Amino acid sequence: MESEQLFHRGYYRNSYNSITSASSDEELLDGAGVIMDFQTSEDDNLLDGDTAVGTHYTMTNGGSINSSTHLLDLLDEPIPGVGTYDDFHTIDWVREKCKDRERHRRINSKKKESAWEMTKSLYDAWSGWLVVTLTGLASGALAGLIDIAADWMTDLKEGICLSALWYNHEQCCWGSNETTFEERDKCPQWKTWAELIIGQAEGPGSYIMNYIMYIFWALSFAFLAVSLVKVFAPYACGSGIPEIKTILSGFIIRGYLGKWTLMIKTVTLVLAVASGLSLGKEGPLVHVACCCGNIFSYLFPKYSTNEAKKREVLSAASAAGVSVAFGAPIGGVLFSLEEVSYYFPLKTLWRSFFAALVAAFVLRSINPFGNSRLVLFYVEYHTPWYLFELFPFILLGVFGGLWGAFFIRANIAWCRRRKSTKFGKYPVLEVIIVAAITAVIAFPNPYTRLNTSELIKELFTDCGPLESSSLCDYRNDMNASKIVDDIPDRPAGIGVYSAIWQLCLALIFKIIMTVFTFGIKVPSGLFIPSMAIGAIAGRIVGIAVEQLAYYHHDWFIFKEWCEVGADCITPGLYAMVGAAACLGGVTRMTVSLVVIVFELTGGLEYIVPLMAAVMTSKWVGDAFGREGIYEAHIRLNGYPFLDAKEEFTHTTLAADVMRPRRNDPPLAVLTQDNMTVDDIENMINETSYNGFPVIMSKESQRLVGFALRRDLTIAIESARKKQEGIVGSSRVCFAQHTPSLPAESPRPLKLRSILDMSPFTVTDHTPMEIVVDIFRKLGLRQCLVTHNGIVLGIITKKNILEHLEQLKQHVDPLTPPWHYHKKRYPPSYGPDGKPRPRFNNVQLNPIDEEREETEEEVHLLNSTTL
Amino acid sequence: MASLCGGLPRLGSVLSLSCLALSALVQLTDAAKNFEDVRCKCICPPYKENPGHIYNKNISQKDCDCLHVVDPMPVLGPDVEAYCLRCECKYEERSSVTIKVTIIIYLSILGLLLLYMVYLTLVEPILKRRLFGHSQLIQSDDDVGDHQPFANAHDVLARSRSRPNVLNKVEYAQQRWKLQVQEQRKSVFDRHVVLS
């Protein structure tokens, strides 16, 4: 009973089994102007001609019941494997949710029976919270490990702590009293490679030695990272967010969130960050957290057996990932809601919140940076901002939008090149070359030599009297009576000007390198390089505005609020706004991004500037192309992702999209009870469809249900193994009652338990906007198109995606298609007034559209149907 | 049901493991609160004729201010207050044990992975060559054009399935994993269907 309960009970209990009802159906159809011809055409190979047309069958409540009850008992237990999915397939959210509700009902009804059942139901109720707790703990701990190890390895490029090898530069000089005000990071314990190898700390010789060692370490880290990825877990490369988005929308990529991927991603992420490539660890941390979520969900049957429920855990896990990546728990929850999740009920919101909390707590208790913060570049400002400053903030927003648009175009073009040409065959070489170029160019410039997070920290930090970096080399007017917190605007010194030059060079370098880095076969995130670019631009603008205000404080825009000797411009704030704008331009996030950035700064008063910049950058970016970098990569890879944000504005009908098309072979259908096991196996072998509609009989093409290919294969295989008497010529029966069979015929195989008896159907005249909406909101996998209860065709998610792609390329959305102007014809007639061709009594679609999708975009779609 | 019963002990083991890890962490942090893991760092900017200076002291959080840390005081009497107002003192904590343990764990995992990688890519093909002779070598070279690790996973899989015992089970699991990785590698690096 159980397995049958999984599918929708009793919908078709009284199936139309009598010949009388079938004939009345036909009359009904004729009345509707449909001409039925019953001749089996020669290409009717699906049904294998040998089954007699119009078999007379009756309800079998009496005679053959004995044999069938025996079989029914065998089928009481669900066949293992039925209801699971193949690799690169789309899940059926509706079916998964039904399965879960059924399971829940079962546990609830048993609850009262015994204490043990009660415990089990409690365990079941709590398992959701338990799994997100474990996920949060694990992702916090892993983030701590990654942070500490990456810091250490980054500093390894430069030198080593002789007194304790496991300390990074900062930790090495932790207790040292030898540091001076000017050279804060020098201490005798920390040895650069030049000091160790050639024994001198200064001079051109040591510079060259350090240069060589820097390149050597960068190359070896990059090589190790890419070879580990290549040998153990190819899925560990890249940022992972496009794939996680796709997985959360209901796609299966086996092994993408597995143990090896987790381990290799964690290990190589450290190497990739340490190699000095222009990449960040934030995006991959989301992937790491999702791996944790997936692995822990295997401990709980509630989540391991149900793909839809597992995705709720993954949503929570991605929130935990961002929470630890940016130290922004609330921002993480919003990120999960805005950017990655597809199905996000309130329950998931709370669990995400909790997971983010746990993860942030764990990371905080590890305290990886020694600053009691979750991120390196945490800053605190207290200076107010003025209305005029919105203008440079919006300018930064424009810059961010332009950068985002440019980056997406350039990166996608480069990735397409990698995907389609021979150049993609050498991933290891590519990584090595990119790493070598990065290292060679990065070392001479102090701002690119730094770890990117450190660079962002330096750019965010405002110049107090305590700062010693050249960015803060202002000419002081030694007016020694002022208090620390309120430094007036000062004229820039020579150090600031040289720093600006270096920053300009760093900006160009970062822009170019990031385009070529994102997408190479090591774990690589995009957040940190984008933020760095924005922060550099913002800091330059900030210093410019500051100097403008200093030299022209009598201009009317400054006169009101910026008096001589007042501190009115904070360049660090500009850097922060610029970082947010650039990140917004690339990812097109808004709310979550602003929340993440203000959680970074702990200053609520900067929300308005941030909002203005992020909104501007989104507008500017959207003017050049509506999709963010993640959607662009999803489209590039051809993942079956139905974006909920896009609107469908076309006026096509379901009949225009459904398969089969006119020139295609007829729709492969199963009949309810007159096919043999061999017939079905032949059909499975000959076609590559992932599911077959089951109809009553060939004469009456009424829909009974839908059977999935995988379920059919598994069920037949297990029946051949376990049930005796199942041979190739056994009848397969999807109906509730087996038809009466000749006495000598083999025992029939009942497969009603794998039949989905409430498949989603639409009529052929349903507008596509509604169909697309149904697919998006319910997460359907396929949908059958019927006319008067007769199956005409099928629409799968893939078909819809192809259709969208086609419309995007060929049709102006505002021009209505042909059938808007012409007289409407009944579906059995084509637009030319002639009857449509028909095969196997299934109406086919006359629209002959050229299928010219770019090959790579449907590449995956072709291999992954449904 | 069976999976639930299977899930409970597994959950139990994971929970106990994480408890162990947690208690270890607590012990570590206790041990980490040792003397050299806290510091109070005062940065004092140049003042009058005194150059800027950084003071660093192991001191408890409540004593972390200029008056306790700056020693010897470079200025006298009335200037002390003015000098100290400019200094910024920050109390910082770290856990040296956590850092040490983390780096050691990380390096050992990395080392093991590297060893295994070297074994799989260099040593195993040589061993196989010795064991199975020349003919198979040619065959497997035909299979996969360039030199790929795990090239002969299919053969081993087929062989090990035939004689079931514990050792073979391990080998079987390993070969299955190898096949999966090979499949992943094909889809990422050769066919470019995912992650490009």
Side-chain angles (χ1 to χ4, degrees), chain A residues 51-70:
Chain A
T51 44
V53 179
T55 319
H56 194 102
Y57 44 85
T58 53
M59 309 272 274
T60 50
N61 283 329
S64 61
I65 191 90
N66 294 331
S67 63
S68 63
T69 43
H70 169 64

Side-chain angles (χ1 to χ4, degrees), chain B residues 28-38 91 93-95 97:
Chain B
L28 285 184
T29 42
D30 281 349
K33 281 271 168 9
N34 61 19
F35 195 56
E36 62 171 29
D37 274 353
V38 296
Y91 177 78
E93 264 177 49
R94 68 167 178 185
S95 159
V97 183

Side-chain angles (χ1 to χ4, degrees), chain A residues 101-115:
Chain A
R101 275 195 290 273
E102 198 55 55
R103 196 194 54 83
H104 190 72
R105 231 170 278 146
R106 202 169 58 234
I107 286 177
N108 251 4
S109 64
K110 277 191 191 164
K111 195 163 76 179
K112 301 269 162 53
E113 285 172 13
S114 68

